[in-house]
Amino acid sequence: MDFELSPEEKAFQKEIREFLDKECNENVVAETLSLQGAGPYSKELLRKMGANRLLAPRWPEEYDGRGMGAMAEAIKVDEINSHHAPFPLDGVEIGNALLISGNEEQKKRFLPGIASGEIDIALGYTEPNAGSDIASIQLRAVEDGDHFVLNGQKIYNSEAHVCEYHWLLTRTDPTAEKKHRGLSMFIVDLKSPGITIRPLITSGGLRTNEVFYEDVHVPRENLVGEKNGGWAVIMSALYGGGGGGGLATGTKNVINTLVKYVLEEKQDADENKWIPEAMADLYVKTHVGELMGVQATAFADLKVTPPYGGGGAVSRLLSGDTRRLLYNTAMQILGPYGQLAKDSKWAPLKGEILREFMDAPRWTIVHGSQEIQKLLIATRGLGLPRK
Amino acid sequence: MDPRLSEEQEILRKSARDFLTDKCPKTLVREMEKDEKGYSPELWKEIADLGWMGLAFPEEYGGGGMSSLDLAILLEEMGRVCFPGPFFSTVICGGLPILDAGSDAQKRKYLPDIISGKTIFTLALTEASGKYDAASVKVKATAENGNYIINGTKLFIPDANVADYILCVARTDDKAKKPEDGITVFIVDAKSQGISTTVLKTIARDKQCEVVFNGVKVPKENILGELNQGWGDVQKIIERAAIAKSCEMLGGMEMVLDMTVAYVKERVQFDVPVGVFQAVQHHCVYMLVEVEGSRATAYEAAWRLSTGRPYSSEAAITKAWVSDAYQRVVALGTQSHGGVSIMEDHDLPLYFRRAKAAELAFGDARFHRKTVARNLGFKV
Ligand SMILES: Cc1cc2nc3c(=O)[nH]c(=O)nc-3n(C[C@H](O)[C@H](O)[C@H](O)COP(=O)(O)OP(=O)(O)OC[C@H]3O[C@@H](n4cnc5c(N)ncnc54)[C@H](O)[C@@H]3O)c2cc1C
């Protein structure tokens, strides 16, 4: 048993932390906090990170990675979050799936671009009638000689407006007896004629998109895996990641910032006596969520199933709940000032708490809702019956 | 980062589990709840012979020379079966404090007998306030002709009814400026004149006692650590006991989770096992979150302790989390079982009762969150 990062991981953490301390300037942070997707400053930073091989530490060196484990990926995510650097969210994750499911030509074509920060890929699963139930998507792909013709609609495809490619789940066989058997995965150039991207904005101000496909021609070499074998590819994308989460430096920073605020602004007042214990509770929950996440990541690197099979999903459940609790508590601490947006007179802590409070609900919905996580833990982890 | 136990530790776990499954069935646990002593001397001897008392003590005293992490595994397994008896009092609250703060002579005198299972120890810390802070220590020890005379009442003292020795935390200087100063720990022979012990009737039917010290004479050689400077040692005892208790509680909640998952797979209502219902599945999943969180944090603290890293902060985080977690686990476990699990003869109430007792021991969640708050910078 050991709770410390390895010397190699510590060195990587130091390297990326120092790099971002220096390079993640206020223009980049402003772009990240605007929630509008990676802008020009962010793209420039991503390219610099790529040049320093900081984007895909988990990939083999031949694809500009470092051949490290899931823990290095978790360290990267943690540092990016705590610096408010742009998040090359899906490109690297999709790259992980490509490493498992892609052919040699596809790996050579896409991986170096992702690792160098030149290209990013948006995740294209969700449709208006297919959210948690991914296998019921309808966007149709019809084979036609050396290409496929695509028609249909995706929804909530984040970053599609700033990405170069789309990791797109389509239906190639509408007659398949089981609906997840008739699916195929493509990488689509988002500049292809027939694609229309329209903004959708969350109440927290985050830009995401609807993406419409109208007779879009996609060459056969962009099919990932087998035709009608899309389900296996999606599984490699969902589970090939293997952890990647856990470290909570950003959240602990927020807690410390709040403590400082309370100590400076809210001294002695009797009605604030509840605050220290509430903050301690949040710190405990954050720390425990972090530990579980980090351990799940370590198990993934060791290729060992954790006891009870819970793994990272268990940590995600706790951390998602804790995030909402944190920002709700923070809003209670700020009282009437909490309502003030960042550009308002009197706004505390640069309006950051309000922004996070408004954005917090997303984290218990995206990438598999809390309920879907619970379903997976119950049936796969605890072996509870489905029927 | 490696969350796995070593091969030797897995063997230790397995042999402890096999042994306890065989020798510590629920019938024994229930019998001991009614028993006057509260433990089985035969079982006590057997675990001493297995080297359990001595596990974490150096070999020079007859111990096994293993670590706090190894001890954590044993405590977890004991918690799983609601192990009855003064193991925790003797090892965690008696022997290890002597190893830590005792003189060479004291170590040589007391440790071998603890390790061989010959003597039982306990710690007399809490008093009428029921709190674990220095200000609550009011029992007095006054110097008199090279001895100290102890007067006052200690409350909630586990296993004092069977203890051979009591580590008594007393106030030796009531003019000291801070409540933390002027406290001394004494090793008291439990058979000394002037000690009277009454077993209290508790929720866990463990043997917590009132211990009255009425002019009890203790030679000054029996001071553990330094005169008037005992609070530092006591704090260390509390922190270590908080970690150890958390490990024990982890074992208990694992068992409740296991029992619950097994039951909801079997119990059929509306023609399906009740584990099919998502409401029940979610209960089980949240129990798992509590258990896995407890495992991560209890083992982190035990690992820090056993590798010589600072552990005060982790001890507080752990006991804060685990105290609440065990309550939630028994509540959800009971809810998922339905009526059967609130019958007195069901096993779940054994855990339900112990979860509350363990929550209160060595600081509840609120007590430890206060420490976490202090570590964050609050003045509380
Ligand atoms: C801000 C944002 C960004 C996103 N980015 C992307 C992206 O980049 N690419 C992409 O493809 N998708 C993206 N999504 C979509 C996201 O993955 C889905 O919203 C999510 O999977 C849930 O689907 P849904 O919203 O349709 O809810 P639904 O599936 O309709 O669920 C509604 C409710 O029912 C519950 N539920 C559903 N099924 C079950 C079940 N079997 N058991 C118990 N409860 C169930 C859900 O948990 C939820 O509470 C994004 C979503 C948001 C909000």
Side-chain angles (χ1 to χ4, degrees), chain A residues 22-40:
Chain A
K22 192 159 137 268
E23 300 287 346
C24 185
N25 59 38
E26 53 192 32
N27 294 327
V28 179
V29 172
E31 280 182 358
T32 305
L33 298 185
S34 78
L35 304 178
Q36 298 308 299

Side-chain angles (χ1 to χ4, degrees), chain A residues 41 91 107 124 128 140 176 204 243 274 287 295 301 336 339 349-350 363 368 374:
Chain A
Y41 292 107
K107 288 184 209 172
R140 189 81 167 87
W274 63 277
H287 185 76
Q295 290 202 331
D301 275 340
Q339 313 166 77
L349 300 171
K350 299 183 192 147
W363 297 98
K374 287 179 214 172

Side-chain angles (χ1 to χ4, degrees), chain A residues 1-4 71 256 259 262-263 276-277 279-281 283-285 287-288 291-292 294-295 298-299 302 307-308 314 317-318 321 374-375 377-378 382-387, chain B residues 1-5 69 254 257-258 261 264-265 273 275-276 278 281-282 284-286 288-289 292-293 295-297 299-300 303 309 317 321 366 369 372-373 376-378 380:
Chain A
M1 186 156 291
D2 188 352
F3 284 79
E4 270 196 7
M71 194 63 76
N256 286 319
V259 170
V262 172
L263 289 175
E277 188 179 354
M279 296 303 297
D281 183 45
Y283 190 86
V284 168
K285 288 176 171 147
H287 185 76
V288 172
L291 277 179
M292 284 199 282
V294 168
Q295 290 202 331
F299 274 123
L302 291 160
Y308 293 102
V314 180
L317 265 189
L318 175 62
D321 290 349
K374 287 179 214 172
L375 186 76
I377 296 167
L382 294 172
L384 293 176
R386 280 172 184 273
K387 290 248 157 50
Chain B
M1 182 84 53
D2 188 347
R4 294 170 303 176
L5 296 174
L69 196 57
E254 269 171 20
L257 174 62
D258 288 354
V261 168
V264 303
K265 283 180 188 171
V276 165
Q278 275 196 345
Q281 292 189 348
H282 290 189
C284 295
V285 168
Y286 272 117
L288 181 67
V289 172
E292 287 301 292
R295 185 198 315 283
T297 170
Y299 273 95
E300 182 196 32
W303 170 81
R309 289 170 166 80
I317 290 175
W321 171 270
R366 207 153 260 150
R369 278 197 290 267
V372 175
L376 283 172
F378 289 111
V380 283

